[in-house]
Amino acid sequence: MAGSFDPYDKNSWFAGPMTRQEATDLLMAENDTGRFIVRNSSSIQGDLVLCVREDNKVSHYIINKIQQGDQTRFRIGDQMFPDVPSLLNFYKLHYLDTTPLIRPAERKVEKVRAKYDFTGSGDADDLPFKRGEILTIISKDEEQWWTGRSSLGLTGSIPVPYVEKYDESQLDGQNSQGLSSPVQSGSSQLLPISRSSSERNRYNTPNIQRKLPALARVKQARVPNAYDKTALKLEVGEVVKVTKININGQWEGELRGKTGHFPFTHVEFIDSENSEEDES
């Protein structure tokens, strides 16, 4: 039986970064064989993995990304394809081991709340949003950039440090600290944000207007690279005197008699909860 999914609808089948175990658990929860997802390879950057529910197991097929001159091709086994949709379309009609591809696995709807305004970083794929806006995550394409959908149905790329997890079971009246915890990327340093597909390391800082210097409390610990002598070590609860807000997200300040830089995502202004500027 041929699958009925659209191989060109990437949002339906691409799961982005996901561990082998997470993919296995997701697909084993499905009742039907032929359910699948495509995830990033955790061992080889650029490669993908086609994960398929086959009988009582989940198979993980490596998809190698091959660069041939100025052309990129994708290889699975001894088959070569010009793109991933062509590969998926082929296996709608042909068996992998015990089944062809029937349809993508159902994934849990995940939503996030915007912590700051984001007007875009100059890329046409960006999805601008306002602080407090609720976005639906479509795919976690990269560590720092996900694809999201707004309440108006618009889709685009959103920077991970600008959002936090949102639980719809919680009351909207709760503040963000009682509501959820910030989304973490798995890295001790979130900034600068960049994309593997393009050198995208400049973006808009949060829309915070205030007189400097200003005091900010550390909300996330940070141990900088030992070779970076200009970075500040941060401990939760410490108070930093912010002296400069840079557009690249690396703010400057003073702490324990030392002057240096640090990611803005690791601190919050002490009066941010009640400042008029933040409510604009």
Side-chain angles (χ1 to χ4, degrees):
M1 176 182 175
S4 58
F5 66 92
D6 179 5
Y8 289 93
D9 181 10
K10 180 180 177 180
N11 293 331
S12 68
W13 49 260
F14 184 60
M18 178 180 285
T19 66
R20 181 187 181 96
Q21 190 58 53
E22 288 173 336
T24 298
D25 292 343
L26 174 66
L27 289 164
M28 286 303 292
E30 299 281 356
N31 295 321
D32 306 324
T33 59
R35 290 291 192 114
F36 72 96
I37 58 167
V38 176
R39 60 180 173 87
N40 290 335
S41 169
S42 57
S43 56
I44 304 177
Q45 185 174 5
D47 282 2
L48 302 170
V49 182
L50 173 60
C51 310
V52 188
R53 172 69 186 268
E54 296 190 280
D55 295 331
N56 294 318
K57 68 175 182 178
V58 174
S59 299
H60 301 263
Y61 298 96
I62 296 294
I63 301 175
N64 298 120
K65 185 177 181 180
I66 309 295
Q67 197 69 36
Q68 297 178 331
D70 59 351
Q71 290 188 328
T72 301
R73 300 177 68 81
F74 296 85
R75 182 181 66 200
I76 181 170
D78 58 358
Q79 300 285 341
M80 193 79 78
F81 301 91
D83 52 41
V84 177
S86 298
L87 182 155
L88 299 179
N89 201 45
F90 178 85
Y91 285 107
K92 284 173 69 172
L93 305 174
H94 298 79
Y95 278 62
L96 286 148
D97 183 8
T98 62
T99 179
L101 301 179
I102 304 301
R103 59 182 179 274
E106 294 290 338
R107 283 177 285 155
K108 180 181 178 181
V109 175
E110 183 177 351
K111 294 190 176 184
V112 295
R113 184 202 295 272
K115 297 193 293 181
Y116 312 103
D117 290 349
F118 177 63
T119 58
S121 61
D123 193 301
D125 292 333
D126 287 341
L127 176 64
F129 51 78
K130 293 290 186 181
R131 175 187 168 188
E133 191 171 344
I134 306 303
L135 306 168
T136 300
I137 299 304
I138 296 175
S139 60
K140 297 181 179 180
D141 311 87
E142 301 176 23
E143 186 178 36
Q144 300 286 355
W145 290 89
W146 294 348
T147 298
R149 182 174 58 246
S150 71
S151 58
L152 298 178
L154 302 176
T155 62
S157 297
I158 62 175
V160 176
Y162 276 56
V163 299
E164 61 186 359
K165 293 180 181 179
Y166 174 67
D167 184 353
E168 287 186 291
S169 66
Q170 301 285 347
L171 296 176
D172 287 341
Q174 290 180 297
N175 61 39
S176 60
Q177 290 183 338
L179 171 77
S180 57
S181 58
V183 175
Q184 301 297 328
S185 69
S187 170
S188 61
Q189 184 172 344
L190 295 175
L191 302 172
I193 297 176
S194 63
R195 294 186 67 102
S196 58
S197 58
S198 63
E199 292 302 319
R200 191 171 169 182
N201 53 14
R202 293 184 67 83
Y203 55 95
N204 300 90
T205 50
N207 184 22
I208 299 175
Q209 301 294 328
R210 64 181 62 239
K211 293 180 180 180
L212 297 179
L215 299 180
R217 181 172 288 107
V218 177
K219 62 179 181 179
Q220 181 181 340
R222 175 180 186 247
V223 179
N225 187 305
Y227 296 100
D228 188 351
K229 302 302 182 183
T230 63
L232 289 180
K233 179 181 179 181
L234 306 176
E235 297 289 347
V236 175
E238 289 184 317
V239 176
V240 183
K241 182 197 289 186
V242 180
T243 57
K244 187 176 181 181
I245 295 177
N246 296 315
I247 193 172
N248 68 353
Q250 291 287 341
W251 290 1
E252 297 177 23
E254 300 173 5
L255 177 63
R256 297 188 301 274
K258 180 181 178 180
T259 299
H261 64 82
F262 54 92
F264 79 87
T265 52
H266 288 53
V267 304
E268 58 185 356
F269 285 112
I270 291 178
D271 62 339
S272 63
E273 289 291 323
N274 303 311
S275 69
E276 296 179 2
E277 293 87 352
D278 282 354
E279 297 302 324
S280 59

